[in-house]
């Protein structure tokens, strides 16, 4: 399911995050430096300076790959503008979605890009502490990162006096585990402080008040890994890649009928081509839907596949980039069943802090269950619409908002199939129980 | 007063009649159980007994159960002593006995209190020593404690609370959030099974996602 193989992509696609050929030993610093690692950091320290670096990242148009697509340089500016005794940079390598291993692959194959990106960010915002947060069960990733950080430390690239006399960069790998929500930045910071993992009201954003009250920039590891490339190759070169409003590439976990794995995709590639990297259903099977964004993703129909894979286009289509997961569903799948499974997982993982979180997501999941189990009540779909908009309007963190996506997108694009469940208690795909199978179901 | 005599009565009866045919909200507990969110803890209300005395005994159990520390207490216990936050280990047991006696006239053996059996807290002290007695390292401390005992015994948590000065409620609230921390020995108990069924893990999610994508032919394809 969570395949770690690298999918073949067209020759012309840029390789910024994942090198085309995997290095023999990803933790070999000498080999990595021969290939150009840490030349970005040198440029930043010698020529660009903190403001110059921030300006360069701003000009490149780099947006965070963690899901929300927030411009990276804006976070840096608010962190540097906040008076503080010290600042912190956190690499979010948690990878909350269990069906996606994109971040883990990146850290295992290209750990020095993440470390260099962290160091550059730290230099730019004046941070003395950098933390790479990883899942405790990703033992290989942890081993690789720890070896890579140790190598960088021995070479004096991070650690004491890394940025010149008296300017230290203390870099550690920290493991966290035990909840889906740890991927969310304020919750991750709570876990790093040894507290219960529940989100905080924003503002103040972590960039102004984060770990132990210090301004903290949290970036996804992919965002960080793109930074050295931008510094070395220039903002213009980066801005030319991918979509105009969100340049660069992103790692996508594609699961389809023929293959399953990770691919580096230029932003703005048509969703059809992204999904197509894992083959399209053929023969007796036809393409029914594509699930975009992980457990809280949107379920998009075949005619929505011409939209570009960008933050904004996916958002207006009712999905999101989320964990970078793209899953192809053929005609065996029932949209109601799929939406129900996803909503239930998200509702069970909700933290319970606020009412939309504790009760709203649960009620949402019950509506999904009722549809699938043939016990719907009249008005359930109106209730779903109302509830979803209330949750979106009053949620504390994005998790609740996103939890509405599977059912809402299912209702938006597959209304006929939902109506079959609701009005005739029948499941056209013959999946839902105890609803009777109807004619046309083929298994 | 209505202008038509008896109209109010008719209206009232009509409402009764309408309600009579509406679907019932009652379920046949315990055969049928309401789907309660895993984090739901019920409505909070302090009750008074038939003599008008507050039923709260300042036992601190609600503060202990509240995962986000919105309940904490200070107050007089049944012996007229003032307590702030979680009391010392012995106080707790003492008050428990006392309440049980007061209520029923005899001590009631209650399996719910098995958790409170004492453990040797020496190892906890060693663990705390390694982490500098710093509550900022609470997660690694709890993980190390679980690695030692196989689970998080109440006695160990109380020791952490005493030594670090962190409220017990905060420690319990933190520990109960993280899926990998448990309060029962790894041997399967009904409670542990019930908890894992209510909160499916990642593997269970992946399996049901796979099953859903392949039309559920007996699970993942
Ligand atoms: C429920 C939820 C889960 C998330 N999981 C992750 C995750 O696994 N990895 C990640 O980098 N960001 C995740 N995020 C986004 C983070 O909150 C945060 O926006 C991101 O790490 C910031 O990095 P960026 O600026 O590089 O996007 C999640 C957000 C939410 C609401
Ligand atoms: S936070 Fe505390 S009071 Fe609120 S619902 Fe949870 S347990 Fe109850
Ligand atoms: S998941 Fe609980 S507040 Fe967002």
């Amino acid at each position: 399911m969570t395949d770690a193989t690298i999918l073949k992509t067209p020759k012309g696609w840029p390789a910024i995050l994942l090198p085309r050929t995997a290095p023999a030993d990803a933790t070999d610093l000498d080999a990595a430096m021969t290939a150009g690692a840490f030349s970005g950091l040198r440029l930043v320290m010698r020529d660009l300076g903190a403001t110059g670096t921030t300006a360069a990242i701003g000009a490149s148009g780099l947006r965070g790959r963690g899901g929300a697509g927030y411009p990276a340089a804006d976070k840096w500016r608010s962190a540097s503008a906040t008076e503080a005794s010290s600042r912190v940079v956190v690499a979010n390598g948690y990878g909350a979605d269990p069906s996606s291993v994109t971040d883990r692959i990146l850290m295992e194959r290209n750990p020095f890009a993440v470390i260099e990106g962290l160091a550059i960010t730290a230099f730019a915002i004046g941070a003395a502490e950098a933390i790479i947060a990883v899942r405790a069960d990703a033992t290989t990733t942890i081993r690789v990162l720890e070896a890579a950080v140790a190598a960088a430390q021995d070479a004096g690239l991070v650690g004491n006096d890394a940025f010149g006399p008296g300017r230290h960069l203390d870099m550690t790998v920290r493991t966290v585990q035990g909840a889906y929500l740890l991927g969310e930045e304020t919750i991750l910071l709570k876990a790093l402080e040894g507290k219960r993992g529940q989100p905080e009201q924003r503002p103040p954003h972590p960039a102004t008040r984060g770990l132990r009250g210090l301004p903290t920039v949290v970036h996804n590891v992919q965002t960080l890994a793109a930074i050295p490339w931008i510094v070395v190759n220039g903002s213009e070169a980066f801005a030319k890649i991918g979509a105009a409003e969100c340049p660069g590439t992103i790692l996508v976990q594609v699961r389809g009928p023929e293959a399953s794995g990770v691919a580096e995709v230029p932003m703005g590639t048509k969703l059809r081509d992204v999904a197509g990297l894992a083959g399209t259903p053929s023969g007796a099977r036809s393409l029914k839907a594509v699930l975009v964004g992980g457990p809280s993703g949107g379920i998009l129909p075949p005619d929505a596949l011409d939209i570009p894979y960008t933050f904004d286009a996916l958002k207006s289509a009712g999905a999101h980039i989320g964990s970078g997961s793209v899953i192809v569903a053929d005609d065996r799948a029932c949209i109601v069943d799929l939406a129900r499974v996803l909503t239930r997982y998200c509702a069970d993982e909700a933290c319970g802090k606020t009412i939309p979180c504790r009760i709203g997501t649960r009620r949402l999941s019950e509506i999904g269950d009722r549809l699938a189990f043939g016990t719907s009540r009249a008005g359930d779909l109106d209730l779903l619409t109302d509830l979803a908009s209330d949750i979106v309007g009053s949620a504390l963190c994005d998790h609740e908002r996103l939890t509405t996506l599977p059912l809402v997108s299912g209702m938006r694009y597959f209304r006929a199939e939902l109506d079959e469940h609701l009005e005739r208690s029948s499941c056209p795909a013959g999946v839902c129980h105890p609803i009777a199978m109807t004619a046309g179901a083929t298994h | 007063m209505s202008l038509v005599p008896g109209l109010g009565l008719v209206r009232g009866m009509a409402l009764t009649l309408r309600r009579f045919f509406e679907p019932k909200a009652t379920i046949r507990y315990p055969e049928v159980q309401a789907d309660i969110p895993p984090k739901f803890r019920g409505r909070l209300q302090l009750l008074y007994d038939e003599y008008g005395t507050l039923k709260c005994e300042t036992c601190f159990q609600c503060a202990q159960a509240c995962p986000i520390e919105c309940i904490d207490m200070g107050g007089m216990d049944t012996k007229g002593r003032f307590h702030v936050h979680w009391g010392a280990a012995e106080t707790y047991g003492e008050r428990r006995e006392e309440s049980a006696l007061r209520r029923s006239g005899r001590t009631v053996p209650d399996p719910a209190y098995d958790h409170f059996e004492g453990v040797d807290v020496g190892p906890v002290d060693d663990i705390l020593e390694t982490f500098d007695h710093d509550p900022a390292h609470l997660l690694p401390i709890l993980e190390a404690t679980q690695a030692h005992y196989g689970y998080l015994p109440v006695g160990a948590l109380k020791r952490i609370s005493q030594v670090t000065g962190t409220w017990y409620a905060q420690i319990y609230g933190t520990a109960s959030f993280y899926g990998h921390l448990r309060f029962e020995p790894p041997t399967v108990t009904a409670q542990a099974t019930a908890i894992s069924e209510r909160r499916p893990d990642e593997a269970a999610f992946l399996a049901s996602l796979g099953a859903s994508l392949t039309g559920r032919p007996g699970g993942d394809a």
Side-chain angles (χ1 to χ4, degrees), chain A residues 143-189:
Chain A
R143 190 168 42 73
V144 169
L145 281 173
E146 278 177 345
V149 171
Q153 219 137 27
D154 290 343
L157 296 161
V158 301
N160 283 350
D161 301 323
F163 298 147
R167 295 194 56 196
H168 311 310
L169 175 63
D170 173 32
M171 190 179 288
T172 45
V173 179
R174 295 273 303 268
T175 59
V176 287
Q177 60 179 321
Y180 172 79
L181 284 168
L182 288 172
E184 204 274 341
E185 53 186 4
T186 58
I187 298 181
L188 181 65
L189 297 180

Side-chain angles (χ1 to χ4, degrees), chain B residues 74-145:
Chain B
M76 310 294 270
D77 70 12
T78 40
K79 282 199 174 150
R81 291 170 303 198
F82 188 73
H83 286 266
V84 183
H85 313 312
W86 180 264
E90 319 75 61
T91 335
Y92 181 81
E94 188 183 306
R95 262 182 290 143
R96 171 187 24 115
E97 299 275 88
E98 198 174 74
S99 323
L101 275 170
R102 206 186 69 161
R103 286 260 152 79
S104 63
R106 66 197 152 84
T107 41
V108 193
D110 184 344
Y113 292 108
D114 288 352
H115 301 293
F116 295 87
E117 291 312 322
V119 290
D120 170 20
V121 293
V124 179
D125 291 348
D126 297 341
I127 291 169
L128 288 169
E129 188 72 46
T130 355
F131 289 101
D132 238 5
H133 301 95
D134 184 355
H137 299 303
L138 188 56
L139 274 176
I141 291 174
L142 291 173
E143 280 159 8
T145 308

